[in-house]
Amino acid sequence: MSRSLLSPGELRERAGDVLLHHVAGPTAHEKRARIHGAPGPRWFGPERPVRVVHADASMYVGGLAALLLQSLHPLAMAAVAAHSGFQGDPWGRLQRTSTFLAVTTFGTAEDAARAVERVRRVHASISGTTSEGVPYRASDPHLLGWVHLAEAECFLRAHLRYGRRPLDAAGQDRYVADMAQVARRLGVERPPETRAELTALLAAYRPELRATPESRATARFLLSEPPLPAPARVPYAFLAAAAVELLPPWARAEVGPPRTLRLILPLARPGGHAITAALRWVIPPPPVPTG
């Protein structure tokens, strides 16, 4: 008689494959093998904080929080809404973003440089006008700076709250400095090098940030209408609550989470810890580098 129930090991492997397929695409295992296993120098050595942060399951919370925070800059949000195919192809955008982060953090220097150049070419081709008549360019260093700040802040916040081994103060400064290396290559001018500089620059952008119809539509899509099967909706709701709760209070108010999500916000932190623990259990370890 054949077995009808999966063993814990088989369940873990199947869940990990499904997750990787959604986050990194149908060739996830091949991508991971090249990114982590290809011989050659890297931009960041194994001891660097950026590798510690970006390898942790807390990135799932931080990544969602970063999308919500980035959407509060009207020009950045207009560019995303008009050109990224976010709602039409959400998994594709997630896969491109996760692959870029993985390649620049863990991949060879040659592959990382190629990934940056591809992004710069895409940015150079994107321009337009907001619904309020304000022109924008995706290659604008000021807009690139905002996207970078939101990512660095949210990735670091999520790591400190949900990471397996949170960085100390010196490690946080080194993480911000690591992120600045990639930001400069993407065209950001004078990115922050320390945690204090990151906080100060975020405050400097505050007068430019507000909710728009496009940002509200994005928040509704990310928080209420994710393209997920029914069994995944409950754990995703707690992941989304953890991401919203991670935001500064002013940003949380601008995002305006849906009522159903507001009801579970008191459970956001225990739910976030449970979700990141589950993700650590199902995500297979990366391949061991060959050189």
Side-chain angles (χ1 to χ4, degrees):
M1 180 182 294
S2 61
R3 292 181 304 166
S4 59
L5 296 177
L6 297 175
S7 69
E10 291 169 330
L11 180 62
R12 178 182 186 179
E13 182 178 357
R14 183 168 296 185
D17 284 342
V18 170
L19 182 64
L20 286 178
H21 179 90
H22 279 91
V23 173
T27 60
H29 290 287
E30 291 83 353
K31 284 182 183 177
R32 290 184 110 214
R34 172 162 181 82
I35 291 170
H36 294 274
R42 265 74 175 161
W43 284 352
F44 304 105
E47 78 290 347
R48 293 306 305 178
V50 70
R51 293 182 64 138
V52 174
V53 173
H54 292 180
D56 194 86
S58 59
M59 283 288 285
Y60 285 84
V61 179
L64 182 53
L67 290 175
L68 295 169
L69 187 59
Q70 287 168 353
S71 75
L72 295 178
H73 195 295
L75 300 185
M77 186 63 247
V80 170
H83 301 279
S84 78
F86 187 84
Q87 295 195 32
D89 183 25
W91 294 120
R93 186 173 189 270
L94 173 62
Q95 289 158 14
R96 291 188 292 273
T97 302
S98 65
T99 298
F100 177 81
L101 284 169
V103 170
T104 52
T105 304
F106 305 102
T108 65
E110 183 179 356
D111 285 346
R114 276 199 293 262
V116 166
E117 184 55 35
R118 280 194 297 271
V119 171
R120 291 191 68 128
R121 285 198 302 269
V122 170
H123 285 167
S125 68
I126 293 175
S127 61
T129 305
T130 71
S131 58
E132 298 170 339
V134 181
Y136 62 81
R137 291 180 299 108
S139 59
D140 178 357
H142 186 70
L143 285 187
L144 291 173
W146 166 247
V147 172
H148 167 70
L149 293 177
E151 287 185 350
E153 174 72 8
C154 290
F155 295 167
L156 190 51
R157 277 182 177 239
H159 175 77
L160 295 177
R161 185 164 297 170
Y162 299 111
R164 187 194 295 272
R165 291 182 295 274
L167 299 173
D168 60 12
Q172 293 173 48
D173 284 344
R174 291 196 298 271
Y175 172 75
V176 176
D178 287 348
M179 288 287 280
Q181 292 190 44
V182 181
R184 276 190 291 269
R185 290 178 167 103
L186 284 170
V188 178
E189 296 176 352
R190 297 182 295 279
E193 296 276 356
T194 66
R195 186 72 175 89
E197 289 178 7
L198 174 60
T199 301
L201 283 170
L202 282 165
Y205 273 89
R206 178 67 186 90
E208 303 173 37
L209 308 177
R210 57 183 173 84
T212 62
E214 292 88 353
S215 73
R216 293 190 185 98
T218 295
R220 185 167 58 250
F221 177 76
L222 291 173
L223 302 176
S224 300
E225 306 163 4
L228 292 169
R233 291 295 182 99
V234 172
Y236 182 85
F238 283 100
L239 176 71
V244 169
E245 196 267 343
L246 194 73
L247 295 171
W250 68 263
R252 199 180 311 150
E254 291 285 352
V255 165
R259 180 175 180 275
T260 52
L261 198 64
R262 292 198 302 271
L263 291 175
I264 64 172
L265 276 180
L267 301 174
R269 293 199 188 190
H273 283 291
I275 291 299
T276 51
L279 290 168
R280 287 191 193 100
W281 184 72
V282 302
I283 298 171
V288 177
T290 57

